[in-house]
Amino acid sequence: MTVTTPGATLAPHDVQHDGGDDASSAHARKPRDNNDPRNNDQRNNARGKDGGGNNKQPRRDKRDVHGWVVLDKPIGMTSTHAVAVVKRLFSAKRAGHAGTLDPLASGGLPIAMGEATKTVPFVMDGRKRYRFTVAWGEERDTDDTEGKVTQTSDVRPTPEAIRALLPRFTGLIEQTPPQYSAIKIAGERAYDMARDGEIVPLVPRPVEIHELTLVEHDDSGKSVFEAECGKGTYVRALARDIGRLLGCYGHICALRRTLVGPFDEADMIPLEQLQALCDRAASGEGSLADALLPVETALDDIPALAVTRADAARLHRGQAVLLRGRDAPNTSGTVYVTVAGRLLALAELGNGELIPKRVFNLTGLTASSALKESN
């Protein structure tokens, strides 16, 4: 466990369901018109097959589920839909994701359930790693394959020219987000404005690229890169800007996220495998707990502090605890507190005082225990 205090704050938490950073969705769908007949189909399905309440399917009771599922999101699925599917499989009361992934992208989508949603900011602020393919010769308005072609070129870059340019995209750089991004401007999403034909007034903003490497290049006009970057980076914008400087234009044609904060590919579970595990659990052949990672997995980059049961009781009531004596910690900042090896709270430590900021109630299904019914 490291003792580095993270940059994540303990401000009021918003569960992430849409928009935001990294490879965020360029193609969110418009809401349907109220007269769209498909709306009636959905309402009828919600009431029953005949729309009048007959043949209504039994609704499964929601339950307390706490932990992380790192879905290996398939291509074509939105992040919001992925959360809904996982939430339904677990019959979980609460769920949200830690960073939107494009429908056209695959890879790690960390989904927090229950009390894990309190730790989402720590994952959101972590590093992300992507493997992506750029097709040269065309720039598109969405900066990926779904957009309209806006610029073309017969020029194709050499690997030497590409590598020579990469240092300019490494470190702290200024990046203009894509026109089709989830950034809000005067209350409207940029992709909605762009879809309506408006010129989106986006300004450059600082992002950090920790590493950018060319890993493959072929004569067909495509190059494969790997990038490790911080919060707010748009990989599609990297492809766009590199193509412009090379004078050949470019857009993303494949994208996979391989790292999100503490979660890497070893933590990912494909949707089919998760569904099979849930089916086995429903028939008594396994436990859904096997698919969960502990809530505290998201807190790997901050120190843990064990307290006595007496101090734990005070923290659980929202009261501060004074830590005195020879064994008192000499660090300060954000810590996560445990009692008897179990996660209790996120707290701020300073001047020998431990102040609780978020208290966890892990009654229910967790990664380390069988299902317990809430009292």
Side-chain angles (χ1 to χ4, degrees), residues 26-27 138-151 177-181 190-191 194-195 197 200 202 236 240 244 250-251:
H27 314 291
E138 291 182 347
E139 183 172 309
R140 303 194 177 198
D141 57 3
T142 61
D143 300 317
D144 63 20
T145 55
E146 287 207 337
K148 297 177 180 178
V149 176
T150 57
Q151 300 281 356
Q179 292 284 300
Y180 284 80
S181 63
Y191 53 62
R195 189 181 293 112
V200 184
L202 294 169
R236 287 181 285 124
R240 176 200 66 202
R244 287 177 180 178
H251 63 274

Side-chain angles (χ1 to χ4, degrees), residues 179-180 185 188-201:
Q179 292 284 300
Y180 284 80
I185 301 172
E188 284 193 75
R189 296 288 187 188
Y191 53 62
D192 286 331
M193 298 172 65
R195 189 181 293 112
D196 291 338
E198 298 182 41
I199 301 298
V200 184

Side-chain angles (χ1 to χ4, degrees), residues 287-308:
S287 171
L288 286 175
D290 296 337
L292 289 172
L293 294 173
V295 172
E296 58 267 32
T297 310
L299 308 175
D300 275 356
D301 285 338
I302 69 174
L305 177 65
V307 298
T308 65

Side-chain angles (χ1 to χ4, degrees), residues 3-25:
V3 293
T4 303
T5 302
T9 63
L10 295 177
H13 166 65
D14 291 323
V15 175
Q16 296 294 316
H17 285 285
D18 204 6
D21 72 332
D22 306 316
S24 69
S25 177

Side-chain angles (χ1 to χ4, degrees), residues 311-321 354-359:
D311 286 342
R314 288 184 57 85
L315 292 169
H316 194 266
R317 293 193 297 268
Q319 299 172 334
V321 170
L354 190 62
I355 303 173
K357 297 297 182 180
R358 292 190 181 279
V359 176

Side-chain angles (χ1 to χ4, degrees), residues 224-240:
V224 180
F225 297 84
E226 285 188 354
E228 187 169 308
C229 50
K231 181 179 180 181
T233 304
Y234 284 88
V235 181
R236 287 181 285 124
L238 274 179
R240 176 200 66 202

